[in-house]
């Protein structure tokens, strides 16, 4: 999953997608594979799809991951908030600006409450939100 994250940062989205899909498939057969890591891998797959502009596929996947994370970890868990931020980014890219705005506002409020205003994740959401409202 860490190597896939590096591929994402290097803009090697197809390589990342292939690797993440292999991780997710392998995780089905390994009992010790942590559920958190599995959801994180699926989130990375969603990012890979987002970066490849496969918005519909990314949204379907990440909305499913988001619901599972809310159930398993709660709405204020850092990974849940990260996924919710990613879903908002997809909505923005799909032209669903009102939905994206509402989701960014929800995420930002929870991030500031739980992580603080200057946390890197809060700052990323602030930047995404600012990008949305300036357009």
């Amino acid at each position: 999953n860490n190597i896939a994250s590096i591929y994402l940062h290097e803009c090697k989205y197809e390589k990342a997608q292939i690797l993440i899909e292999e991780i997710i498939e392998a995780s089905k057969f390994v009992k010790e594979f942590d559920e958190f890591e599995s959801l994180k891998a699926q989130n990375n797959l969603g990012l890979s799809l987002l970066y490849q502009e496969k918005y519909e596929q990314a949204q379907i996947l990440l909305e499913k991951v988001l619901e599972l994370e809310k159930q398993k970890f709660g709405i204020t868990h850092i990974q849940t908030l990260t996924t919710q931020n990613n879903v908002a980014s997809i909505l923005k890219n799909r032209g669903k600006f009102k939905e994206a705005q509402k989701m960014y506002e929800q995420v930002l409020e929870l991030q500031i409450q739980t992580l603080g205003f200057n946390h890197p994740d809060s700052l990323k959401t602030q930047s995404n939100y600012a990008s949305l409202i300036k357009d």
Side-chain angles (χ1 to χ4, degrees):
N1 206 13
N2 291 335
I3 294 172
S5 293
I6 291 169
Y7 285 152
L8 288 173
H9 290 291
E10 292 178 344
C11 301
K12 297 177 181 175
Y13 307 127
E14 290 180 14
K15 273 183 122 170
Q17 180 180 345
I18 292 167
L19 182 57
I20 296 164
E21 287 172 344
E22 290 173 358
I23 292 167
I24 292 168
E25 188 60 31
S27 74
K28 294 175 184 174
F29 303 104
V30 179
K31 287 184 181 181
E32 293 80 24
F33 198 81
D34 187 289
E35 188 171 20
F36 174 78
E37 288 299 322
S38 176
L39 290 169
K40 190 173 176 182
Q42 291 178 61
N43 186 40
N44 284 340
L45 178 58
L47 280 178
S48 175
L49 294 167
L50 167 65
Y51 297 149
Q52 294 176 70
E53 299 181 0
K54 298 176 180 178
Y55 302 129
E56 187 175 347
Q57 287 176 272
Q59 184 175 349
I60 291 167
L61 175 62
L62 288 183
E63 285 178 343
K64 181 179 109 182
V65 170
L66 180 59
E67 288 309 308
L68 289 170
E69 288 173 344
K70 284 179 180 179
Q71 291 170 15
K72 299 290 179 186
F73 312 126
I75 62 169
T76 59
H77 189 277
I78 192 167
Q79 186 59 39
T80 305
L81 294 170
T82 297
T83 302
Q84 193 169 0
N85 184 42
N86 293 340
V87 172
S89 295
I90 293 166
L91 292 169
K92 176 187 168 202
N93 283 299
R94 295 189 76 190
K96 298 180 178 186
F97 302 117
K98 294 283 186 200
E99 290 176 61
Q101 180 177 352
K102 182 179 177 184
M103 190 166 284
Y104 279 135
E105 289 169 352
Q106 291 170 350
V107 173
L108 192 53
E109 182 180 338
L110 291 170
Q111 285 175 325
I112 290 170
Q113 287 174 6
T114 58
L115 305 172
F117 186 81
N118 291 318
H119 187 277
D121 287 1
S122 300
L123 295 172
K124 181 177 181 179
T125 302
Q126 290 172 53
S127 174
N128 290 344
Y129 181 65
S131 164
L132 171 75
I133 59 176
K134 83 171 175 99
D135 291 343

